[in-house]
Amino acid sequence: MKLKLCKFFIFTLFTSNLLTSQIIPSLSSEEKYTQHNKGKLYVYWGGNRSFFTNSSLRIKGEGYNFVLHDLDSHDRPQGWTTDYINPSRLTIPQNNLRIGYFISDKYNVSFGLDHMKYVMSQNQRARISGTYPSSYDGVQVIDGIIDLSDGKFIRYENTDGLNYINLEVARVHDLSKYFGIKNTDKFQVNLTEGVGFGLLFPKTDATLLSKARHDDYNLSGYGTHIKAGLNLTFFKHYFIQGELRGGYINMNDIKVSFDKADVGSQDFFFLQRLVVFGTVWKLF
């Protein structure tokens, strides 16, 4: 009897060890760093090209209240220069700076600055309506059309810049498996999309009629946007990301001169195309 119990005990112990040796490794298999995002912090920096729809600019002041209709505009790119890596010149090129935190594996919340540049094209004729000087310094309104080419009537731009300060919520999808990538800690492909809103704090450079040139910052309105992008992450912590960002800007309190009576308003849609470089690290 004792011999049988002893054999049974040995058999049970051997079987238990065998099963444990098979099960434990599968439970304790090492997870990839990139498998989970919750608790990670990221920062990115890069450049953009910006495009704007035609829009109308309303100017109110003492003795005039007019609208310049369907104005054409453009950005002011500088190309890929050393300004992007020179700390003393980082605000000169069109750029995007963002810091974000993953609240779950899929979702992150971020705060950023989109530094666009908006220039009203000077070489254009525009329809004008409302109350305005019928002629000014040789510039005449003919059949409701004014020539803005020489800038005597108005010059207007936000080149330092059209600063859109915003909060954003974004979702991230890992697409690596669709490209046959198994070791995502070395290389990972992600799709990201998001939505955001924020405030406009442009530095408006304007010369209105014969008044002194205005070139100062002003909290002027609000904006909202959506985005989609492709993220390529290398060695767990470094990434390149390309994005398309489209949105709406409404500025109802633009300072166009140092005269407090002069106020501009404008709204338009924008599209940004950007490439950024960043880093991501797990905090918790």
Side-chain angles (χ1 to χ4, degrees):
M1 183 67 178
K2 290 182 179 180
L3 182 59
K4 290 183 177 180
L5 288 174
C6 184
K7 290 181 177 178
F8 177 76
F9 176 76
I10 293 173
F11 174 77
T12 304
L13 183 62
F14 176 79
T15 305
S16 176
N17 287 336
L18 182 62
L19 290 173
T20 301
S21 67
Q22 295 297 318
I23 295 174
I24 288 179
S26 64
L27 293 176
S28 60
S29 59
E30 185 180 353
E31 290 185 336
K32 299 295 184 185
Y33 181 87
T34 50
Q35 189 171 337
H36 297 288
N37 288 321
K38 185 177 181 180
K40 291 180 181 178
L41 181 77
Y42 69 87
V43 179
Y44 74 54
W45 171 268
N48 71 68
R49 286 298 311 270
S50 303
F51 309 89
F52 312 102
T53 57
N54 285 10
S55 61
S56 297
L57 176 64
R58 176 182 291 275
I59 304 291
K60 295 181 181 180
E62 188 173 344
Y64 47 82
N65 183 349
F66 62 87
V67 179
L68 294 169
H69 297 270
D70 199 30
L71 293 174
D72 180 61
S73 61
H74 57 272
D75 65 347
R76 183 171 288 169
Q78 291 183 269
W80 292 100
T81 71
T82 56
D83 290 344
Y84 285 98
I85 57 175
N86 185 337
S88 65
R89 299 175 65 84
L90 287 179
T91 62
I92 293 178
Q94 298 178 176
N95 62 82
N96 299 74
L97 172 65
R98 184 164 297 277
I99 181 170
Y101 178 76
F102 279 90
I103 57 176
S104 72
D105 286 345
K106 296 292 185 182
Y107 290 92
N108 66 79
V109 178
S110 63
F111 175 77
L113 168 64
D114 293 13
H115 181 79
M116 298 176 278
K117 294 180 184 290
Y118 177 99
V119 181
M120 182 191 81
S121 301
Q122 208 63 57
N123 186 26
Q124 65 178 307
R125 293 160 56 85
R127 184 167 64 87
I128 186 171
S129 63
T131 304
Y132 51 86
S134 58
S135 63
Y136 178 79
D137 197 14
V139 179
Q140 293 186 331
V141 177
I142 301 175
D143 295 328
I145 302 296
I146 187 169
D147 190 344
L148 303 175
S149 300
D150 58 14
K152 292 180 180 179
F153 191 79
I154 186 174
R155 286 185 180 272
Y156 171 69
E157 59 185 55
N158 296 288
T159 48
D160 196 27
L162 186 66
N163 299 310
Y164 174 43
I165 304 168
N166 60 85
L167 288 171
E168 183 178 280
V169 177
R171 178 178 168 87
V172 174
H173 311 266
D174 185 355
L175 302 180
S176 301
K177 63 181 180 181
Y178 299 109
F179 294 91
I181 300 169
K182 294 181 179 180
N183 190 347
T184 55
D185 277 2
K186 288 187 177 180
F187 181 60
Q188 185 183 32
V189 180
N190 296 298
L191 176 68
T192 179
E193 65 269 355
V195 60
F197 67 93
L199 300 175
L200 271 296
F201 192 64
K203 189 179 185 187
T204 302
D205 182 354
T207 304
L208 176 65
L209 304 176
S210 59
K211 299 185 179 184
R213 174 191 172 199
H214 176 278
D215 188 15
D216 205 355
Y217 292 99
N218 171 240
L219 184 62
S220 63
Y222 65 91
T224 185
H225 72 274
I226 58 175
K227 76 160 191 181
L230 189 66
N231 171 288
L232 306 178
T233 299
F234 304 88
F235 305 111
K236 301 186 291 187
H237 300 296
Y238 310 99
F239 65 84
I240 299 174
Q241 186 163 303
E243 287 185 13
L244 286 177
R245 304 167 69 86
Y248 170 73
I249 284 174
N250 187 312
M251 297 187 292
N252 54 21
D253 188 19
I254 307 169
K255 302 304 180 187
V256 292
S257 82
F258 289 102
D259 186 340
K260 293 183 179 180
D262 292 331
V263 178
S265 60
Q266 182 183 29
D267 69 297
F268 50 85
F269 292 94
F270 70 90
L271 176 69
Q272 281 189 79
R273 187 181 67 215
L274 57 119
V275 177
V276 298
F277 303 87
T279 182
V280 56
W281 297 84
K282 192 172 183 63
L283 295 184
F284 305 106

